[in-house]
Amino acid sequence: MSTLQLEVVTPDKTVVSSQVEMAICPGVAGEFGVLPNHVSILSALKVGDLRYRADGKDEHVFISGGFADMNNNVLSILAESAEKANDIDEARAQAAKDRAEKRLAEKNDQIDATRANAALQRALVRLQVAKF
Ligand code: ATP
């Protein structure tokens, strides 16, 4: 079976580096699939679940947005943070969710609602991806 090389990289580490059969990326304009030998693409990503199939098995990775670059059969995902489903600390994500919700509930001009909403979104998606 033909494959493509998937690299998921954050400023700290390489989270995935493997040959995969396909990947589905959370693009800002909607999900898109990438198969082996796909034409070159560059796309911005949103906070979401990056799915891929390796050795016939579906895998899930949380990504906090970033960019996907497909070139010469290598799909590079560059994200500020990323964790494989099994590496997500659910208690930490739950605590982040509670913290963000508490901030958003405060009727206080001092809170940065955009930042709290972004933190809430990351926490919700982490909790979702952790279930896989
Ligand atoms: P928190 O408030 O819990 O730090 P956050 O959304 O602000 O959450 P990020 O800025 O996205 O966190 O990530 C900071 C670092 O912590 C990254 O290396 C990320 O992979 C890791 N990280 C954050 N939350 C979790 C989690 N629930 N499980 C595992 N790693 C996490």
Side-chain angles (χ1 to χ4, degrees):
M1 174 172 291
S2 61
T3 57
L4 63 107
Q5 176 70 19
L6 174 65
E7 299 283 335
V8 180
V9 178
T10 74
D12 302 330
K13 59 182 185 242
T14 296
V15 177
V16 179
S17 176
S18 44
Q19 289 286 314
V20 308
E21 287 128 43
M22 56 106 69
I24 299 173
C25 305
V28 285
E31 286 194 330
F32 59 91
V34 180
L35 290 168
N37 303 309
H38 197 289
V39 290
S40 294
I41 41 171
L42 177 61
S43 173
L45 303 175
K46 62 182 178 186
V47 175
D49 177 12
L50 167 75
R51 286 177 280 155
Y52 64 91
R53 184 169 302 150
D55 296 326
K57 202 165 161 270
D58 287 330
E59 307 285 354
H60 295 259
V61 180
F62 164 85
I63 54 163
S64 65
F67 292 92
D69 176 25
M70 176 69 169
N71 224 327
N72 289 327
N73 213 32
V74 179
L75 175 61
S76 303
I77 306 287
L78 310 175
E80 198 52 50
S81 57
E83 302 106 41
K84 286 182 173 178
N86 284 344
D87 294 332
I88 295 173
D89 178 341
E90 283 193 69
R92 177 173 170 176
Q94 186 63 48
K97 173 177 177 283
D98 294 346
R99 209 164 46 239
E101 283 175 342
K102 191 159 165 270
R103 285 210 181 102
L104 290 167
E106 282 169 19
K107 295 275 172 277
N108 180 345
D109 289 346
Q110 301 301 311
I111 75 143
D112 182 340
T114 305
R115 189 172 156 190
N117 269 312
L120 178 59
Q121 188 59 23
R122 288 194 300 277
L124 289 172
V125 176
R126 277 188 172 111
L127 289 170
Q128 218 179 348
V129 175
K131 301 284 176 232
F132 289 108

